Amino acid sequence: MSKFARNSPCPCGSGKKYKYCCLRPGPERGRWTPRAVTGFVALMMLALGFGVFAFVGRVFKPRSTDSKNSPPPKPNIEQAQNNPVPLPSETGKPLPRPAKEAGPEEAQRDVDSTEFWRRFVDGGDCEGALQVARAITAISPDKSSGWLKQSYTLHELGRTEDAFQLLASVIEMFPDESLPAYNLACYACRAGRLNDARRWLKKSLEIAGDVIKANALKDSDLEPLWQEIKGW
């Protein structure tokens, strides 16, 4: 499996350096069974989608007499687990999402979901990690983090072309973020499409400048372009 440079942005989208994030060795964990993956993804979607405390409140809050006659609506968890998040249509381009400041609860939810996803990656269970990444994207499709996790996991599964196509289909939603373009450059380079790699790497450089250039010159995925990058 390819490795990102230690000081490059972590491909999971956390905003940390790779050496401080997914490169960290985790405790040994056994491989999760499909049944366990499904159960934990369901629990995660409930906990993260509604909030832990809100979920507990919904379960234990006394119901009025009127509500007893009609069953409460159920979240469509099964659909989110088994189906990838729909991609933008081929005829229409995704619109950039306005940036908004995350509240404390939302920020903590992002941290928890990243840790949950990382457990599967650290345990070598990339199929389970892909299911978790899809659930994260279903909860927050307007954030790049879930899409980055999905594409990174596909790449680790040896499906680099699928990783490229997935991320390329939504990158216009994140015009001010350098990491999606940077990862596209890495995937294209690994697939031998150097022209695409140049284009996306230059796009990433336009956004983040010298930081991206320094990381690219240490990233083995971009080694075929190192001589060119030095002159940029």
Side-chain angles (χ1 to χ4, degrees):
M1 294 188 296
S2 68
K3 299 295 181 182
F4 286 78
R6 288 171 54 84
N7 291 315
S8 64
C10 186
C12 77
S14 66
K16 301 178 182 178
K17 290 185 178 180
Y18 181 53
K19 65 182 179 182
Y20 294 135
C21 194
C22 290
L23 183 62
R24 297 183 306 174
E28 293 186 0
R29 301 176 178 88
R31 188 173 292 275
W32 289 62
T33 64
R35 185 184 295 273
V37 170
T38 302
F40 271 92
V41 168
L43 288 175
M44 185 196 69
M45 291 195 66
L46 284 172
L48 300 184
F50 296 108
V52 175
F53 297 108
F55 174 61
V56 173
R58 285 170 182 261
V59 173
F60 295 104
K61 181 180 179 181
R63 297 179 183 174
S64 65
T65 13
D66 296 335
S67 64
K68 291 181 180 179
N69 298 325
S70 56
K74 297 181 180 179
N76 195 351
I77 300 168
E78 183 179 353
Q79 181 180 358
Q81 292 168 356
N82 299 328
N83 300 316
V85 175
L87 299 179
S89 64
E90 296 179 359
T91 55
K93 295 183 178 180
L95 298 176
R97 303 298 180 101
K100 59 179 181 180
E101 187 177 351
E105 291 183 4
E106 187 176 356
Q108 185 59 47
R109 186 184 72 185
D110 292 343
V111 171
D112 292 341
S113 62
T114 295
E115 289 296 329
F116 188 80
W117 171 78
R118 186 184 297 148
R119 291 177 187 175
F120 289 89
V121 176
D122 290 346
D125 187 0
C126 287
E127 289 290 351
L130 183 58
Q131 292 292 332
V132 174
R134 285 172 173 168
I136 292 171
T137 309
I139 293 171
S140 301
D142 58 339
K143 291 186 177 182
S144 64
S145 176
W147 299 105
L148 289 166
K149 288 177 174 64
Q150 278 198 69
S151 60
Y152 174 77
T153 309
L154 287 169
H155 173 57
E156 291 298 298
L157 285 167
R159 298 167 56 185
T160 302
E161 182 61 28
D162 290 341
F164 179 89
Q165 294 299 333
L166 175 71
L167 199 53
S169 69
V170 297
I171 193 170
E172 291 188 30
M173 293 170 59
F174 315 106
D176 300 322
E177 297 185 31
S178 62
L179 189 54
Y182 182 88
N183 283 12
L184 278 177
C186 292
Y187 301 149
C189 203
R190 293 284 296 180
R193 298 204 305 272
L194 298 186
N195 286 336
D196 285 340
R198 292 184 187 97
R199 179 165 65 95
W200 289 115
L201 186 57
K202 287 181 178 180
K203 174 65 177 176
S204 185
L205 282 166
E206 290 174 3
I207 298 171
D210 292 339
V211 174
I212 291 296
K213 182 176 181 178
N215 288 329
L217 289 172
K218 301 173 186 176
D219 195 329
S220 59
D221 284 343
L222 297 170
E223 186 172 1
L225 296 178
W226 277 355
Q227 292 303 318
E228 292 183 43
I229 295 171
K230 291 177 181 177
W232 290 357

